[in-house]
Amino acid sequence: MPNSSSTEVLPISSQLKFAFRNHPGGVAVITAKSEQGNVALTATSVTSVNAEPPLISFSVSGLSSSAPKIQTTDHVIVHLLDTAGIEIAKIGATSGIDRFADTSLWYELPTGEPVFHAARAWMRCKLIERVDASGATLYLTEVVETNITHDTTEQDASEGLVYLNRTWHRLSEESRVG
């Protein structure tokens, strides 16, 4: 990336990619049961929108092989991951594989959606709005069920998982700066 004294001007899209490549994102895996079968994808775009009513959002690139399947669903499961879920994050991020081949890694809710065991927490969400965003889709969802897989009243020893500069990173007590 050129510095500010360079005369070369990169297109805004390249600058945006560079800026966000160096902005850490929490790691989530989104799953659903679609008409074409189970679907999973890894996302760093999951955002809490509101607590009352409980709303979260995420986006999916139209280039993703999962995009057509997510488009046909009414509900998704958003899995929030820590370092214990790194393998699930990698599965969701890998193209061309059967993400549900290892049946020991997941189970099916009574409503049909697949849930990965390694999630720190998961939320079953009803899709309430889809916004076309020039080749991507922004989804607004209402959380209708949650499952927190650790005791939130005690100090949690797990380590956060973030994605930064195309690499997985661990957040721990040692990474604390403030």
Side-chain angles (χ1 to χ4, degrees):
M1 182 77 186
N3 62 33
S4 59
S5 65
S6 173
T7 58
E8 179 184 2
V9 177
L10 291 176
I12 297 230
S13 60
S14 295
Q15 293 178 43
L16 181 70
K17 288 177 185 178
F18 181 79
F20 274 93
R21 184 179 306 136
N22 290 288
H23 180 74
V27 180
V29 167
I30 299 165
T31 61
K33 183 170 195 78
S34 76
E35 295 168 359
Q36 298 89 18
N38 289 342
V39 60
L41 63 108
T42 299
T44 57
S45 62
V46 174
T47 304
S48 173
V49 175
N50 198 18
E52 281 300 323
L55 302 174
I56 63 175
S57 68
F58 62 91
S59 63
V60 178
S61 167
L63 300 176
S64 168
S65 62
S66 300
K69 290 182 179 180
I70 292 286
Q71 279 286 355
T72 67
T73 64
D74 292 325
H75 290 82
V76 296
I77 305 296
V78 176
H79 304 73
L80 301 180
L81 302 180
D82 58 16
T83 54
I86 184 70
E87 293 308 315
I88 303 307
K90 290 177 181 178
I91 288 170
T94 303
S95 296
I97 64 166
D98 179 354
R99 294 174 176 136
F100 299 95
D102 186 346
T103 57
S104 70
L105 299 177
W106 62 279
Y107 62 98
E108 192 173 279
L109 292 177
T111 52
E113 299 91 356
V115 174
F116 285 108
H117 296 290
R120 177 183 179 111
W122 59 261
M123 295 160 279
R124 183 170 183 262
C125 302
K126 180 180 180 181
L127 296 171
I128 58 174
E129 192 164 344
R130 294 170 174 88
V131 177
D132 179 30
S134 298
T137 303
L138 177 65
Y139 293 89
L140 180 62
T141 71
E142 181 175 5
V143 178
V144 296
E145 181 181 355
T146 61
N147 185 313
I148 311 297
T149 59
H150 69 285
D151 185 351
T152 58
T153 62
E154 296 182 17
Q155 183 66 24
D156 188 1
S158 66
E159 297 176 321
L161 179 62
V162 297
Y163 195 70
L164 174 68
N165 200 13
R166 300 180 181 172
T167 308
W168 310 103
H169 293 269
R170 170 185 298 121
L171 293 180
S172 65
E173 278 301 312
E174 291 77 31
S175 65
R176 185 184 295 240
V177 294

